[in-house]
Amino acid sequence: MSVRTATASGAAAALLGTCFLLPAAQAQATGTQDSPVVYAHRGASAYAPENTLAAVDAADDLGVAWVENDVQLTKDGVLVVVHDTTLGRTTDAEEVFPGRAPWAVKDFTAAEIAKLDAGSWFGAGFAGARVPTLTQYLHRLERNHQKLLLEIKSPEIYPGIEKETLRVLREEGWLDRAHVKHKLIIQSFGAESVKKVHALRPDVVTGFLGTPAVAELPSYAAFTDQINPSYTTIGADYVAAVQKLKGAHGKPLRVNTWTVNDAAKAAQVAGFGVDGIITNNPDIVRDATR
């Protein structure tokens, strides 16, 4: 079964309903001056298994241009797209490798992770979906003409992950002028990791995941372009305080908030003036804020 076929099958098809039938012209992919940019969190992860190519395609079918993902390093130094630092929740690693507890990503080679089923936990229609490498993920985004909000996950576990991430992005053409200017953001909960990315490639747009105190914002503005907080930690005053400052590229700091999955919350944070909303349900958020 192809990824596209799987994306529209089984339980996911019931969830999606008529969403895939929306004309492309009606789909808000990048936002407007009055509406926040919508980012598909781990892909359209309400409708397909998170961080898989199926979730990328689900976002594309919904007309969503920006996709968020998480990258980590395998034991042999390959970047893979997976959220948890362990493999148990979203793959069958415990069954395939029963003696390898706690099934940490860093303890498995890329070849071992490639054997795992990363779709069955979500629904039978996605059985056989794999954990993609970053390279495979970038190829799918390029095919779909999509954009990437890339999170460097748990950088404290993976020394050198920033340099390796930039190396893969460069090899795949994602550090050329067009991609850097219009199609790529790198973010992390680790301030030092964001600083490293900025130092290695000052031209790349970066984001810090968290809610720094207002008094601390100027220090973050020196190395990042975005402050990306949980929606539960912000209000209009905080968003305004962030946006008053200029970030590392001399433009006002932006605020992309997460993870907003229903229409009421989406309308609320849009009212706060956020620049973007990261969501598992990009269609619901788009419709509530345009």
Side-chain angles (χ1 to χ4, degrees):
M1 180 181 290
S2 69
V3 172
R4 292 276 179 164
T5 302
T7 303
S9 68
L15 283 168
L16 278 170
T18 59
C19 291
F20 284 164
L21 303 179
L22 284 172
Q26 293 181 351
Q28 175 201 6
T30 59
T32 68
Q33 184 177 0
D34 298 319
S35 55
V37 177
V38 176
Y39 297 87
H41 183 235
R42 308 178 200 170
S45 55
Y47 306 125
E50 65 182 58
N51 277 325
T52 63
L53 300 184
V56 174
D57 288 341
D60 184 47
D61 287 330
L62 290 170
V64 178
W66 279 98
V67 177
E68 186 266 357
N69 76 354
D70 309 273
V71 297
Q72 300 184 57
L73 277 171
T74 65
K75 183 177 182 180
D76 51 342
V78 177
L79 284 162
V80 290
V81 180
V82 60
H83 176 268
D84 298 3
T85 56
T86 57
L87 295 160
R89 181 177 65 88
T90 58
T91 78
D92 59 350
E94 294 181 18
E95 298 173 19
V96 177
F97 300 104
R100 301 277 294 276
W103 299 282
V105 174
K106 66 181 179 63
D107 294 334
F108 287 79
T109 67
E112 289 172 331
I113 290 176
K115 297 176 182 178
L116 302 177
D117 182 337
S120 290
W121 69 274
F122 187 88
F126 297 98
R130 302 302 175 189
V131 175
T133 65
L134 178 58
T135 297
Q136 291 167 337
Y137 202 90
L138 294 172
H139 289 175
R140 185 58 58 93
L141 291 173
E142 202 73 86
R143 189 195 76 176
N144 292 348
H145 306 289
Q146 289 169 292
K147 307 176 185 184
L148 178 60
L149 173 58
L150 181 155
E151 179 183 341
I152 295 176
K153 195 72 181 178
S154 302
E156 66 279 3
I157 298 176
Y158 306 108
I161 191 173
E162 297 84 9
K163 187 174 182 179
E164 181 62 16
T165 298
L166 291 170
R167 185 190 68 78
V168 172
L169 289 167
R170 183 178 65 252
E171 287 188 354
E172 296 304 323
W174 276 73
L175 292 184
D176 64 15
R177 180 181 175 85
H179 284 79
V180 166
K181 190 171 182 180
H182 301 293
K183 299 184 70 174
L184 177 66
I185 303 165
I186 298 178
Q187 64 177 358
S188 181
F189 283 98
E192 291 304 315
S193 186
V194 179
K195 287 180 183 179
K196 288 177 185 176
V197 171
H198 180 65
L200 290 166
R201 285 295 302 238
D203 55 331
V204 170
V205 175
T206 58
F208 172 73
L209 283 160
T211 315
V214 170
E216 297 174 356
L217 289 172
S219 64
Y220 285 84
F223 61 85
T224 195
D225 304 282
Q226 301 179 353
I227 300 295
N228 298 340
S230 166
Y231 79 90
T232 63
T233 65
I234 62 170
D237 289 347
Y238 185 81
V239 172
V242 174
Q243 293 169 338
K244 284 179 182 178
L245 297 173
K246 291 185 177 180
H249 288 99
K251 298 178 181 180
L253 282 172
R254 294 173 64 87
V255 178
N256 296 324
T257 192
W258 49 271
T259 304
V260 180
N261 292 324
D262 66 65
K265 290 187 179 70
Q268 180 185 43
V269 298
F272 294 160
V274 300
D275 299 288
I277 299 175
I278 302 169
T279 173
N280 300 339
N281 297 279
D283 52 333
I284 291 173
V285 170
R286 176 187 63 208
D287 293 345
T289 58
R290 63 182 175 184

